Amino acid sequence: TIFAFCYFVTGCIILTILGFLFKLIPFARERVKYVYHFILSWFARSMVYIMVNVKKKIIDKQYANFNRPSVIISNHQSFLDILVTVMLHPKLVLLTNSWVWNSPVFGAVARMADFYPVAQGAENSIELLSERVKQGYSTVIFPEGTRAVDGEMKRFHKGAFYLAEQLNLDIQPLLIHGTGYTMTKGDFLLKDGQITLKYLPRIKSDDARFGTGYAERTKLIGRYFK
């Protein structure tokens, strides 16, 4: 636990310094931003895999298509969920809670990577996320809004599905299992365990099986996840 924490803090400090340096580059802004996201994704992957007491497994990778932007939704149990999603691909933008956005360790990195605090409302993020979509970025959202302590999936909020509707994007479901035990909310001990990621088939923007409006989709896809 101590080693992993020190590695995480050191990586965040380096990423913060790099972010400030990259901001000084006056040309090729999108290319520079992509390089920063690439380094961030690489760091998250190294962080996850350097935790040697935690086994990792990814199921049904064939359903993942990062070449076409989507809204990636996942259940939420642990801070580790942020790391295991960021590591999946460089072109990801996360909608985060305020505590991540304001974190003294990870907050500056989140802001430099164009992560967005959900407390400001999904409707206020459409313009920013629309620009990211044009550049090929997908958006990661945890529809429960907060980490579940007991492992039971909470009610889904409508924000993710509203964004998918407004931006005309497919929804990519991702199931996360094991992070809630490995690093439980409120507990900083990194316990021995296994983290499993499972992709589910994409839900097309015009797939009527899950409803036609974002409110209906929130209920039906939430039920599908459970």
Side-chain angles (χ1 to χ4, degrees), residues 11 29 41 185:
R29 304 295 296 179
S41 181
K185 181 179 180 179

Short mmCIF file of all heavy atoms in Angstrom, two decimals, residues 11 29 41 185:
data_model
loop_
_atom_site.label_atom_id
_atom_site.label_comp_id
_atom_site.label_asym_id
_atom_site.label_seq_id
_atom_site.Cartn_x
_atom_site.Cartn_y
_atom_site.Cartn_z
N GLY A 11 3.88 10.10 -9.48
CA GLY A 11 3.38 10.21 -10.84
C GLY A 11 2.52 11.43 -11.05
O GLY A 11 2.62 12.12 -12.07
N ARG A 29 -1.71 22.54 -30.55
CA ARG A 29 -2.32 22.37 -29.23
C ARG A 29 -3.01 21.01 -29.08
O ARG A 29 -2.88 20.37 -28.03
CB ARG A 29 -3.35 23.49 -29.00
CG ARG A 29 -2.81 24.89 -29.14
CD ARG A 29 -1.78 25.24 -28.10
NE ARG A 29 -2.34 25.25 -26.76
CZ ARG A 29 -1.63 25.51 -25.66
NH1 ARG A 29 -0.33 25.74 -25.75
NH2 ARG A 29 -2.21 25.50 -24.49
N SER A 41 -2.60 8.07 -19.62
CA SER A 41 -3.12 6.72 -19.77
C SER A 41 -2.03 5.69 -19.46
O SER A 41 -2.28 4.68 -18.80
CB SER A 41 -3.64 6.51 -21.20
OG SER A 41 -4.16 5.21 -21.37
N LYS A 185 -14.08 2.15 -0.32
CA LYS A 185 -14.30 3.57 -0.05
C LYS A 185 -14.05 3.87 1.42
O LYS A 185 -14.58 3.20 2.31
CB LYS A 185 -15.73 3.94 -0.43
CG LYS A 185 -16.08 5.41 -0.23
CD LYS A 185 -17.50 5.70 -0.65
CE LYS A 185 -17.86 7.16 -0.46
NZ LYS A 185 -19.25 7.46 -0.89
#
